[in-house]
Amino acid sequence: MQMRSPRFSWPSLALVLFLLPALASITLDRAASASPAQSVSFKDAASQAAEFIGYNRSIALNPDQTSLRDRALSSLAAPCCSKFSAATCCCPCNLAKSIWGLSNYLIVRQSAGEKQIQENVKRWLAFVNAQGFSGDVCDTAGGCGRTFARNGCGGMNENNLAAAR
């Protein structure tokens, strides 16, 4: 009996070298997107607002990370001034800085993606103001100095945070 050596054709080899890795990549992407979003536990508005504001100052983002944060926050209206996105807001109020700092933390320390950032920011805003923000805080008298829970920006000065009074 004569043994035949296996014969590989170029199309078969191309299939193995190119198609299988592509299929593996798709499978890994689906598995990663199916994993539960990392989330931050919210317990105390005042102390965590101060913590997140600190992250805004201390966690530097590289250009790719900044782009990720801006993409994630651009689709969300600024809670205090809905004419702007959460990425820019109309001014660097304490509420905006807390959102930016939370986003920086999620990107750098938890390798969060766009959807995870959006979900956590929405949860943060619901935590600090269960009634929701009107979107016109900056246009109303005293809005910038009110607490988050009273539809305010929590102040403009990090050292005088009006998060939960």
Side-chain angles (χ1 to χ4, degrees), residues 80-83 90 135-144:
C80 48
C81 188
S82 61
K83 294 180 267 186
C90 63
D136 65 352
V137 173
C138 298
D139 297 330
T140 60
C144 292

Side-chain angles (χ1 to χ4, degrees), residues 66-127:
T66 300
S67 177
L68 169 61
R69 183 187 68 187
D70 291 348
R71 279 193 321 273
L73 297 180
S74 289
S75 67
L76 303 174
C80 48
C81 188
S82 61
K83 294 180 267 186
F84 295 87
S85 76
T88 60
C89 201
C90 63
C91 60
C93 65
N94 286 330
L95 182 57
K97 288 188 258 185
S98 75
I99 291 169
W100 300 334
L102 171 59
S103 300
N104 290 1
Y105 170 82
L106 290 165
I107 292 167
V108 173
R109 306 259 173 90
Q110 291 195 4
S111 301
E114 192 171 327
K115 182 170 256 173
Q116 294 165 318
I117 296 165
Q118 291 168 344
E119 289 171 0
N120 279 282
V121 166
K122 287 176 187 176
R123 286 182 44 255
W124 168 245
L125 294 173
F127 175 75

